Amino acid sequence: MSGEMMTIAPLLTVIFGAVAVLIADMVVPARRYTPIAVALAALGAAAVFITAQGGGVTIALAGAYVTGPFVSYLGLLGITVTTITLLMTPDHVGDRGYPTAEFASILLFALAGAILVAASTDLVTLFIGLELLVIPGYLLAGYAKRDPLSTEGAVKYFLLGSFSSAILLFGIVLLWGSSGTASLSGIAAALASGSATPALAVALALITTGASFKIAAVPFHYWTPDAYQGSPTPITGYLSVGPKVGAFALAIKLFLVALAPLALLWVPVVAVLAAATMTLGNLVALTQLNVKRMLAYSSIAHTGYLMVGLVAAGLGEVAGISGILFYGAAYAFMNLGAFAVLTAIQGRPGSTTQLSDLAGLGRRHPLLAILAAVFLLSLTGIPPTAGFFAKAYVILAAVQAGGAAALLAIVAVLNAAVAACYYLRVIIYLFMREPAEPPVEVATPPLLRIGLILAAIGTIALGLAPTLLIEAVARAIAP
Amino acid sequence: MTDTPLSTAPLLLILPLIGFAFTAAFGRRLGKRAHIVPLVAIAAVWVLAMGLAIPALLGDPALGGEGSSLTLFTWIASGDLIFNVGIHVDGLTGALLLVVTSVGALVHLYSVGYMSHDGSYWRFFAYLNLFMFSMLLLVLADNLLVVFAAWELVGLSSYLLIGFWYTKREPGLASKKAFITNRVGDVGFALGLMGLVAVFGSLDIHTILAGIEAGALTGPAATVIALLVFCGAVGKSAQFPLHVWLPDAMEGPTPVSALIHAATMVNAGVYLVARMSPLFAASHEAMLIVAAIGIFTAIFAASIAFTQTDIKRVLAFSTLSQLGYMFAALGVGAWIPAIFHLITHGFFKGLLFLGSGSVIHAVDGEQEMPKMGGLARKIPITYATMLIGTIAIAGLPPLAGFWSKDEILGEAFKFGFGWVWLVGLLVAGMTAFYMFRLMGMTFWGESRVNPAVHVHESPWTMTLPLVALAVPTIVAGFLLGFPFADGILVHGLKPVFAPANELLGHEHEAWTLFGIDGLLMLASVTIAAIGTAIGIRLFSSDHTQLLSSITTRLRPLYEGSRSRWYFDDLNDLVFVQAGGRVARALWWFDRRVVDGAVNGVGTIASSSGRGLRQIQTGRVQNYALGIAVGLIAMVIVYLMVAA
């Protein structure tokens, strides 16, 4: 295999895998697990290719696609997220009469988009990667096509998503025009020598708006509750993790590479958005009695914590980027885990995810309830779980950056305390309330069980030995 | 990892952990076969541990001397503060491994018989393996943060096992008492660790000890930190005034009393002080307090053991007393004798507890000695092995206890602690007396056993551990401690304690039979013989009249001893009654003022949340409008910032 082929091998494997899933479904139609097996095999092969690259910097596609430790890290994280999603979804959607092949294929295309975003070095590739990442999201949101709620959420997500993509694209074009190059590092060089023109200011506003929509930051978060509420539960889990982490890769590329010279302009704006995002996400989550919707709002709050890392990094604190990368991994494990638990309690099609449905789960299904408690404690940020170190690292980075970022750190800590209220309330329902009558039907098919265990291992391992990942993160951001 | 002598050491931790996880997960389904995996795991651990402990004690070039370390992984790295998880093995670790794994393996075997009728058989073995993991982690770890985690884990296992029969009231209360009392000491320990971090910026044991040797910690700071660390030891090793939990801990199953509350966990405090010996040697005052608390506990507990009638409680107070001996030895700088006594005591007290369990098993659960008597011929193996244990603890030559006890007393005298020596000598006599009282009331004289009970010897799984423990009880003292002051243990441990001895200025002197050492030995043997003689004289057959005339004449002393010198009543008065009043006042404050404020914040947060929820109308046009408005605001802001 030529060097260039080797460089793009992970991306190609994922795309071929997506096609292979569809072909396999044509050859042996209407099997629930065959497409999943093909998709998992493709993911395994992609992981092998990424590992074989060994994190070395290689260039492909005329310099538009450059791999390195950063791409390897995000690629493996994306593969992990996709794997856990593939494990927790098929039985849930299958039991409700939806096919699994399209789902697996769509998911792999989204992963290809995420890898493309991470590896891109110019605005065009970056934007194409982003669209490849989010368009599958629209499809997945409407996957339960006979459910009006799902279709409604998907349409809203699609309309608003297209709107925001247009805004982002407009900003990208203005940026290109102002700096005369599409290369991210070229833009940074041009900006470093020039001055902040009104055109650049408008470009920044458009890009900030577009990116904020993609990561679901306030006040561009409106789409999330509807899209999350309507989707089948495991897909909601994916939507709250995959596109978000991918969009943060985009934010790192745009804000911390291309727009780094303008940090003084965007840092205050992003800081204010971060504070608003955390606070609004948490306050609204506090009032939700539906656990799925509560997790949707809390994912907005987590966007806010991740933005704290962005602010710290914008102020020159490298720990900010490593904080984002660590947070991304921790968040993937604990949030997917929490949604996997919700998937398990929806054993019967048509069942809900009200807080009262979880009452007394600790007595009927102690193991599942303990796992749920682990994920919730991690989302709260209690040691020794992954969530604790994730929060600790971004907040410490903000403190080290100093100045206004330190204020933001205080806001983040206060918000973490508010978040404890609604996460721990679920634990109270799990263990201290009488079981619901009639009892909810719990179904843990083998694949879901493996997904739950993977998520739990990740959540606990990163809490007990965070340094295992910190070293990988340090390599990922090393210049 | 293959070229280090410690390549097998991680298995010491992994095997019991697997045993615990496996039994916890599948034990219920295994029923009466639940013991197989834990038993095999511990047997393998014993073999591996001997492979480390024996070379370490014999001064193997790799494991003896400075010892050998193996870093497993970095646990936490936060800036300059790095906590590694690693293993360190030297002579001291070897000594602890010897006791912990030997007694541990035998107790596992013993439990197969003792717990065979219990419905939660599997749960018992799961907890035992959890305990073994925690205890081994405690003695192997080379970082105090890991030691602290293991310290809490043994506390947890102890709590679970004391309260094993949680449906009964007393075990539940006793387990809570043990946990809470230990917590008091642990607060001190935790503060001590914070102090060490503040001074050294690390909790790596070798970094800290090297720093102390270099003189980085002296004066009042050394005293304060040493005493805070000692607080932890006082709690875990049940020294005065935190001793109250150990007698109550006897509510747990007897194998637990033997393993955790006699031979292993309660030694953790002694181990901690020995491991941190330079820290204590750096402060004269701290050493003095350790010695004073140790020797006071020794005589205080021995005086209570005089009058207790529950066979396990006598042994519990005896354990307190013997642990007091060890702390007294540490406090005078007699490090090696302290560890020597830890080893021999581990064996003979483990034996005595398992023997008492066999007695209780034989008389159908009865623990009160006035309802025993005359058992010697009916359970001969139990009797013979317990008699060996008793002679050993009484300090009569040539059994194990004589060697270690004699060394403690001898060094206390030679280092100029005459008062420690004198009290220690008295305790030696008292120990011989109350132990032969126990033997007399249980095994000699007329039988007072309920005639309905069929007295029977225990099954082989229970008697085999007794016989196996009787062997080291006879020979361990001679093997490890002869020739005097020049035995295996002295050679194995001397490098470990060299830094502390250098700080103290202790020098090694030759042992002289026809000099001071011979005289001191004669004194301790004589007083042990006197105690033994009185014990046998009073309890070999029924001297009810003589005994009651003695107790009548010494009524106040007798009542005081029986009531454990009213210490539990004092605790009740101070902490439960008076403390309860303070707590109620604080509760009122918490409910009215603190909770009021918190609830106020919560109410404000939820009502503002409800307000914010109104934004979410569900209409896509509104959302698009919102985005557009947000975009316009963004453009304005950026233009203003840029300008």
Side-chain angles (χ1 to χ4, degrees):
Chain A
M1 200 183 288
S2 77
E4 185 150 353
M5 281 300 284
M6 187 63 201
T7 307
I8 57 170
L11 182 69
L12 287 181
T13 314
V14 173
I15 293 175
F16 287 150
V19 178
V21 166
L22 295 178
I23 295 173
D25 191 50
M26 268 191 289
V27 179
V28 276
R31 293 279 182 81
R32 185 179 286 187
Y33 297 119
T34 316
I36 304 296
V38 175
L40 287 176
L43 288 177
V48 169
F49 281 125
I50 291 178
T51 320
Q53 284 173 351
V57 177
T58 48
I59 301 169
L61 307 182
Y65 186 101
V66 175
T67 59
F70 180 76
V71 184
S72 303
Y73 180 86
L74 282 173
L76 289 175
L77 177 55
I79 288 173
T80 311
V81 170
T82 313
T83 305
I84 297 179
T85 311
L86 277 174
L87 291 170
M88 60 196 251
T89 315
D91 291 292
H92 186 86
V93 298
D95 290 347
R96 284 157 181 77
Y98 299 107
T100 55
E102 285 87 338
F103 157 76
S105 175
I106 293 170
L107 208 56
L108 288 186
F109 278 120
L111 174 60
I115 295 176
L116 199 55
V117 167
S120 62
T121 59
D122 65 55
L123 293 173
V124 179
T125 326
L126 188 65
F127 186 74
I128 293 173
L130 177 71
E131 288 303 291
L132 188 53
L133 169 65
V134 295
I135 290 173
Y138 308 148
L139 296 172
L140 288 176
Y143 204 73
K145 57 189 173 197
R146 288 187 292 279
D147 178 357
L149 261 183
S150 177
T151 311
E152 183 192 332
V155 170
K156 281 181 190 166
Y157 186 18
F158 170 66
L159 287 175
L160 297 172
S162 312
F163 188 35
S164 72
S165 287
I167 293 173
L168 182 65
L169 191 57
F170 198 7
I172 285 176
V173 169
L174 270 180
L175 188 58
W176 191 345
S178 309
S179 56
T181 171
S183 149
L184 295 174
S185 48
I187 292 169
L191 291 183
S193 54
S195 60
T197 60
L200 266 179
V202 174
L204 255 181
L206 292 164
I207 289 174
T208 312
T209 304
S212 297
F213 180 92
K214 301 299 179 200
I215 59 176
V218 171
F220 308 105
H221 65 283
Y222 307 109
W223 58 276
T224 30
D226 289 319
Y228 287 5
Q229 172 84 17
S231 309
T233 302
I235 289 178
T236 311
Y238 168 75
L239 288 177
S240 69
V241 173
K244 195 189 291 280
V245 174
F248 263 96
L250 169 99
I252 290 174
K253 292 267 168 183
L254 280 176
F255 286 102
L256 298 178
V257 180
L259 296 170
L262 298 181
L264 283 180
L265 281 182
W266 60 260
V267 161
V269 176
V270 175
V272 171
L273 291 186
T277 306
M278 287 186 274
T279 312
L280 185 125
N282 278 325
L283 286 182
V284 183
L286 205 53
T287 64
Q288 302 299 325
L289 292 177
N290 183 318
V291 182
K292 195 164 151 189
R293 215 170 156 85
M294 180 205 93
L295 286 176
Y297 277 107
S298 92
S299 88
I300 296 176
H302 285 284
T303 297
Y305 302 131
L306 280 157
M307 290 168 82
V308 174
L310 200 59
V311 169
L315 290 172
E317 184 58 55
V318 187
I321 313 181
S322 50
I324 295 175
L325 293 182
F326 188 93
Y327 205 114
Y331 177 68
F333 285 118
M334 61 199 187
N335 213 40
L336 285 176
F339 274 100
V341 172
L342 284 188
T343 308
I345 67 154
Q346 288 186 295
R348 189 169 45 82
S351 47
T352 56
T353 53
Q354 292 297 322
L355 203 47
S356 53
D357 291 329
L358 291 169
L361 198 69
R363 212 165 308 161
R364 292 235 162 89
H365 302 278
L367 220 55
L368 188 65
I370 288 170
L371 285 181
V374 168
F375 298 131
L376 289 164
L377 289 175
S378 181
L379 284 164
T380 316
I382 291 179
T385 56
F388 167 73
F389 286 102
K391 277 208 181 70
Y393 285 130
V394 291
I395 290 173
L396 276 179
V399 170
Q400 277 162 3
L407 273 178
L408 194 57
I410 295 172
V411 175
V413 171
L414 290 176
N415 262 290
V418 172
C421 289
Y422 59 81
Y423 287 129
L424 299 184
R425 183 170 57 195
V426 180
I427 296 185
I428 290 177
Y429 268 83
L430 286 172
F431 292 100
M432 295 173 198
R433 292 289 157 89
E434 287 302 310
E437 287 301 337
V440 291
E441 243 174 75
V442 171
T444 49
L447 287 188
L448 176 63
R449 221 177 269 195
I450 300 172
L452 268 171
I453 291 169
L454 284 181
I457 290 175
T459 306
I460 294 168
L462 291 188
L464 288 179
T467 42
L468 297 177
L469 192 69
I470 281 294
E471 283 164 17
V473 169
R475 273 197 303 278
I477 60 166
Chain B
M1 279 201 328
T2 44
D3 54 342
T4 127
L6 294 183
S7 52
T8 57
L11 284 176
L12 291 181
L13 301 172
I14 295 167
L15 287 174
L17 199 58
I18 291 175
F20 162 67
F22 177 83
T23 313
F26 307 109
R28 193 193 293 267
R29 282 175 227 172
L30 291 173
K32 291 297 165 211
R33 285 169 297 153
H35 63 266
I36 296 172
V37 171
L39 194 61
V40 169
I42 297 305
V45 163
W46 182 75
V47 173
L48 292 170
M50 288 304 112
L52 290 173
I54 293 171
L57 281 173
L58 290 178
D60 176 88
L63 289 169
E66 296 277 300
S68 181
S69 294
L70 172 67
T71 302
L72 298 176
F73 60 90
T74 300
W75 184 19
I76 299 169
S78 173
D80 298 332
L81 202 57
I82 293 170
F83 297 110
N84 286 322
V85 175
I87 287 174
H88 179 79
V89 175
D90 58 13
L92 179 57
T93 320
L96 267 290
L97 284 180
L98 182 71
V99 179
V100 170
T101 59
S102 305
V103 180
L106 291 170
V107 165
H108 272 72
L109 178 61
Y110 182 91
S111 306
V112 173
Y114 192 84
M115 299 301 289
S116 59
H117 306 301
D118 199 282
S120 296
Y121 194 61
W122 63 279
R123 194 160 54 89
F124 188 76
F125 281 96
Y127 290 166
L128 275 190
N129 266 27
L130 175 65
F131 170 75
M132 289 303 289
F133 163 74
S134 318
M135 190 68 207
L136 288 165
L137 182 65
L138 201 159
V139 301
L140 288 170
D142 68 352
N143 188 302
L144 282 177
L145 193 67
V146 183
V147 171
F148 187 72
W151 190 267
E152 296 301 322
L153 274 173
V154 290
L156 170 71
S157 335
S158 159
Y159 165 81
L160 291 170
L161 284 163
I162 296 170
F164 183 74
W165 289 309
Y166 58 84
T167 50
K168 287 196 266 172
R169 183 177 158 77
E170 285 77 15
L173 290 177
S175 63
K176 277 190 271 180
K177 188 170 177 179
F179 202 75
I180 294 166
T181 313
N182 267 292
R183 204 96 293 75
V184 177
D186 291 350
V187 171
F189 189 13
L191 288 173
L193 293 186
M194 291 173 207
L196 287 171
V197 171
V199 176
F200 297 102
S202 166
L203 283 178
D204 179 72
I205 292 176
H206 303 283
T207 311
I208 293 172
L209 296 188
I212 294 171
E213 281 169 59
L217 182 63
T218 50
T223 308
V224 169
I225 292 180
L227 288 179
L228 284 171
V229 170
F230 182 57
C231 279
V234 166
K236 195 63 77 196
S237 292
Q239 294 297 289
F240 182 86
L242 297 181
H243 64 279
V244 290
W245 67 270
L246 188 61
D248 287 24
M250 298 303 130
E251 295 291 346
T254 305
V256 172
S257 311
L259 177 63
I260 301 185
H261 305 120
T264 57
M265 185 189 81
V266 288
N267 289 334
V270 180
Y271 168 75
L272 182 69
V273 175
R275 179 54 81 200
M276 304 304 291
S277 52
L279 171 66
F280 287 84
S283 162
H284 182 66
E285 292 78 12
M287 292 286 280
L288 208 58
I289 289 175
V290 172
I293 288 198
I295 202 68
F296 178 74
T297 309
I299 191 163
F300 173 80
S303 72
I304 297 174
F306 266 34
T307 53
Q308 300 299 311
T309 51
D310 181 313
I311 185 168
K312 283 178 70 183
R313 299 236 163 180
V314 176
L315 292 175
F317 280 103
S318 157
T319 305
L320 291 182
S321 173
Q322 298 296 314
L323 287 165
Y325 251 135
M326 297 176 213
F327 278 105
L330 294 169
V332 302
W335 314 105
I336 297 174
I339 299 303
F340 191 11
H341 200 57
L342 184 157
I343 298 173
T344 57
H345 175 256
F347 287 127
F348 63 65
K349 189 52 70 61
L351 166 63
L352 286 167
F353 261 113
L354 292 184
S356 77
S358 180
V359 170
I360 295 166
H361 191 82
V363 294
D364 215 16
E366 184 56 62
Q367 302 198 13
E368 285 293 316
M369 293 189 296
K371 294 182 186 163
M372 295 176 182
L375 294 175
R377 233 162 299 151
K378 290 172 184 154
I379 44 175
I381 303 177
T382 307
Y383 171 62
T385 49
M386 274 192 87
L387 188 61
I388 292 169
T390 303
I391 298 173
I393 194 175
L396 293 172
L399 272 61
F402 157 74
W403 302 82
S404 50
K405 195 177 284 188
D406 183 61
E407 275 198 24
I408 291 178
L409 293 175
E411 292 215 348
F413 188 86
K414 287 196 286 182
F415 291 147
F417 290 85
W419 51 281
V420 172
W421 172 78
L422 197 63
V423 180
L425 200 62
L426 196 58
V427 174
M430 291 162 78
T431 308
F433 171 76
Y434 69 68
M435 282 310 299
F436 278 95
R437 168 176 176 270
L438 181 148
M439 290 305 286
M441 289 180 79
T442 309
F443 291 106
W444 303 335
E446 296 298 312
S447 173
R448 299 176 299 274
V449 182
N450 181 352
V453 173
H454 166 66
V455 180
H456 56 284
E457 184 61 282
S458 305
W460 71 269
T461 50
M462 287 170 68
T463 49
L464 179 69
L466 292 179
V467 175
L469 280 172
V471 175
T473 300
I474 297 171
V475 301
F478 178 79
L479 278 183
L480 294 170
F482 188 82
F484 296 98
D486 204 25
I488 288 173
L489 203 62
V490 173
H491 286 281
L493 292 179
K494 209 195 280 174
V496 178
F497 295 116
N501 279 335
E502 202 169 301
L503 283 168
L504 288 174
H506 280 175
E507 280 179 24
H508 189 66
E509 289 173 41
W511 199 89
T512 47
L513 178 59
F514 298 105
I516 182 74
D517 294 297
L519 276 177
L520 290 172
M521 186 171 78
L522 194 64
S524 65
V525 173
T526 309
I527 194 138
I530 295 173
T532 305
I534 300 176
I536 294 177
R537 172 80 185 80
L538 281 177
F539 293 98
S540 61
S541 55
D542 293 318
H543 293 287
T544 327
Q545 267 191 323
L546 180 58
L547 280 174
S548 63
S549 82
I550 295 175
T551 49
T552 328
R553 220 166 292 164
L554 302 175
R555 177 110 275 175
L557 289 178
Y558 178 74
E559 284 299 329
S561 163
R562 259 180 75 88
S563 321
R564 311 168 186 191
W565 302 115
Y566 310 105
F567 209 79
D568 284 274
D569 303 271
L570 183 68
N571 273 347
D572 184 68
L573 197 68
V574 174
F575 294 108
V576 182
Q577 309 281 347
R581 257 182 229 138
V582 176
R584 269 191 291 279
L586 286 174
W587 183 59
W588 180 89
F589 180 81
D590 185 64
R591 201 173 29 141
R592 296 285 153 158
V593 183
V594 180
D595 278 10
V598 172
N599 288 339
V601 172
T603 315
I604 293 167
S606 345
S607 49
S608 52
R610 269 193 293 280
L612 290 169
R613 219 163 113 183
Q614 307 302 322
I615 302 172
Q616 205 75 33
T617 58
R619 292 172 66 106
V620 76
Q621 297 91 321
N622 292 2
Y623 295 169
L625 185 66
I627 291 175
V629 171
L631 173 61
I632 291 165
M634 196 74 75
V635 171
I636 295 171
V637 168
Y638 271 118
L639 283 173
M640 278 166 54
V641 177

